[in-house]
Amino acid sequence: MDLLKADVFEELGPLLSAEAAAEAPGTGVDAADLEQAVWVRLLEGGPREPDPDVRARWLRRAVRAEARLARRRARREIPYGATPADGAGEPEGALLHGEANRALRSAVARLPGRCPELMKALLSPRDLTYREIAGELGISQGSLGPVRSRCLGCLRRMLTAEVAAPGLRGKER
């Protein structure tokens, strides 16, 4: 390792450790993994400026970029043996999933008109087609879509009133 690279490691090491430790909790990776990814990025084509301020700015941007990549990767990846919808293997996940199902089915039962019947048919584990649902409910297949849309709108309004809406993400305008 030449003298310049050794100076860069000594100069940027503490800053990189601090930045990686600050960004890691929201990424789904360890701070050491984030730090290693930035070191690789630095060695592959880091800043060529001798100015320490330029290097520090580059390092902060690189840490944030790697953290963004890690967050995206964590959202997309699913561990083997698990499905995203169920809480398999975790009692807390199974409990929360069961409570969500009970809340949904309770809201469906309070829907007006033919909506409870239709929504129960749509939520059925038998996975019925529109033709089969229309035959069971005694309505035309062509009116099934608009009725479903109206019922989902009612259900959405009911659940929004019961569950607090998530806060705005990003900048507010």
Side-chain angles (χ1 to χ4, degrees):
M1 179 184 325
D2 65 331
L3 185 60
L4 179 63
K5 287 183 182 175
D7 290 342
V8 169
F9 284 123
E10 288 176 15
E11 173 190 338
L12 297 178
L15 178 62
L16 176 56
S17 295
E19 290 287 328
E23 290 287 334
T27 62
V29 297
D30 292 334
D33 292 340
L34 193 59
E35 193 173 337
Q36 183 179 15
V38 175
W39 279 128
V40 168
R41 196 180 267 220
L42 175 71
L43 290 174
E44 287 177 343
R48 302 292 179 227
E49 290 282 327
D51 184 17
D53 291 335
V54 172
R55 289 180 183 174
R57 275 195 306 272
W58 180 91
L59 184 104
R60 287 184 184 102
R61 282 194 312 265
V63 169
R64 288 187 190 104
E66 287 295 332
R68 274 193 309 273
L69 287 172
R71 275 192 296 273
R72 286 184 193 135
R73 198 175 316 117
R75 276 195 307 259
R76 281 190 315 244
E77 291 179 353
I78 300 170
Y80 285 119
T83 59
D86 69 355
E90 296 179 5
E92 296 163 3
L95 177 70
L96 291 175
H97 185 67
E99 287 179 13
N101 270 343
R102 277 190 291 283
L104 177 64
R105 298 216 182 261
S106 169
V108 164
R110 295 189 314 257
L111 286 171
R114 300 192 101 176
C115 290
E117 297 168 327
L118 175 61
M119 296 307 294
K120 285 177 186 172
L122 289 171
L123 293 170
S124 170
R126 296 184 319 184
D127 197 26
L128 302 171
T129 64
Y130 266 28
R131 178 174 289 170
E132 293 168 338
I133 293 172
E136 274 190 16
L137 299 179
I139 59 176
S140 71
Q141 189 175 344
S143 66
L144 201 57
V147 172
R148 179 190 65 92
S149 179
R150 191 185 76 233
C151 294
L152 287 175
C154 290
L155 184 62
R156 191 175 299 117
R157 283 189 298 277
M158 286 174 64
L159 291 176
T160 302
E162 292 176 11
V163 179
L168 293 175
R169 295 174 58 185
K171 295 183 180 180
E172 294 182 38
R173 293 183 185 199

